[in-house]
Amino acid sequence: MAARIPLRVDHGLPRDRRARVLSDLRISVIDRCNYRCPYCMPEDDYPRDHKFLSKANRLRFEEIERLARLFANLGVRKLRLTGGEPLLRRELPELVRQLSAIEGIDDIAMTTNGSLLPASVNALRDAGLDRITLSVDSLHETTYRELSGGRGEVAEVFAAIGAATAAGFASLKLNCVVMRDINDGQVLDMVEHFRGTGHVLRFIEYMDVGTCNEWNQDRVVPSAELRERIGARWPIRPLPANYGGEVAQRWSFVDGSGEIGFISSVSEPFCGDCTRARLSADGRLYTCLFADHGHDLLGPLRAGASDADLSQLITAIWTARDDRYSEIRGAAGSNSRERVEMYEIGG
Ligand code: SAM
Ligand code: SF4
Ligand code: SF4
């Protein structure tokens, strides 16, 4: 793996209106996906002939690298590649290689549905990818198929886990979006399967991202309820966060069989620590997962803006940020307004 440049001491970095620094950038490298998960990209809204971004309107790797370098100068230390399905960008290892050479970046991760992972996992590791998060919503064939919109097979997830482990990614994060009466009855089976494997299963509360998943609070299973169910079978205890702003709450099995995580954006919002920005595949900067608009960086970049101009623009956007959607969710009107779709900015 590529050597990492040590962290610098952070002085005078931009802070938003709630004093939050910008330390984590999620980069959506493509808006397309080979799955149609009903909670993200329902088939009815995104049929096979749906018009996604053209190649010309998508950030090129050198443009992503340039922006990432500017973000690193402004305090970003962690990058996450996502999508859509990031592995639909076939040359992704080349992007990872470029990003891993940026001074100040100390962690590069990727979130993927795993279906295309076996073919590229070695190249990704050699290019400097540090961590992989795999989406695994069920281990049951029928439910998995249903939650991928009829496009994925659970056998592909097992193949992805095997390939990643063999490539040296010993501890994967496994994301499971829990929806009541769809897969919440399978939570204990999933815990049983992954306990003691070294992988960290994380249960994500179903979120009201975007506008087309017909989100309904009744489908949300609060993490507290899951913790009670899991803890009744295998006692668990809370662990301290690994770092400030960590999204998942970490819990460990008392018997030493590893840890699990809970991402509780609906029931236990964590906006106060949110140091994340999101760059969409068409070069827009979103300061919140639930933002109704992004700030165009691609236009200025292609119009010849200098590094200093772009840094100034990013700083102005970040310092004006006041987002805390999850804390005010449910306030009058907040559920009905426009919101960016999850596949555009990658979660
Ligand atoms: N396609 C890749 C994948 O599925 O892993 C990366 C992009 S996907 C948008 C990133 C993550 O967002 C996935 O783990 C997915 O389960 C999660 N996600 C998408 N829609 C969601 C929703 N409505 N609520 C909670 N999580 C969601
Ligand atoms: Fe695709 Fe990921 Fe969205 Fe599922 S969650 S439709 S795999 S982008
Ligand atoms: Fe961050 Fe917005 Fe999520 Fe709050 S709702 S944690 S501000 S992305």
Side-chain angles (χ1 to χ4, degrees), residues 39-40 82-85 111-113 135 175 177 207 209 213 342 346:
Y39 52 74
C40 175
T82 175
E85 175 44 47
T111 307
T112 172
N113 63 32
S135 295
N175 279 356
V177 177
M207 290 186 283
V209 277
N213 62 11
M342 187 74 137

Side-chain angles (χ1 to χ4, degrees), residues 31-41 83-85 112-113 135 137 147-148 342-343:
D31 60 340
R32 289 164 201 260
C33 188
N34 52 347
Y35 282 12
R36 288 294 180 275
C37 308
Y39 52 74
C40 175
M41 223 177 178
E85 175 44 47
T112 172
N113 63 32
S135 295
D137 294 329
L147 286 174
S148 67
M342 187 74 137
Y343 71 89

Side-chain angles (χ1 to χ4, degrees), residues 270-271 274 276 278 288-290 321 323-326:
F270 36 80
C271 301
C274 182
R276 292 173 292 285
R278 293 165 167 92
C288 178
L289 186 52
F290 300 90
R321 175 187 194 240
D323 302 293
R324 55 184 194 102
Y325 175 82
S326 289

Side-chain angles (χ1 to χ4, degrees), residues 179-200:
M179 298 173 80
R180 195 177 296 284
D181 298 333
I182 294 182
N183 63 347
D184 68 314
Q186 303 172 13
V187 159
L188 293 183
D189 285 353
M190 292 190 73
V191 174
E192 182 161 39
H193 184 90
F194 289 114
R195 250 168 58 86
T197 60
H199 304 311
V200 180

Side-chain angles (χ1 to χ4, degrees), residues 2 8 41 45 54 58 100 117 171 176 207 219 221 250-251 255 263-264 269 288 307 312 319 342:
R8 291 161 309 185
M41 223 177 178
D45 295 282
S54 66
R58 225 163 44 200
S100 65
L117 188 63
S171 179
C176 173
M207 290 186 283
R219 287 268 185 225
V221 183
R250 303 169 57 216
W251 288 66
D255 68 3
I263 301 179
S264 323
C288 178
D307 283 358
Q312 214 169 32
T319 51
M342 187 74 137

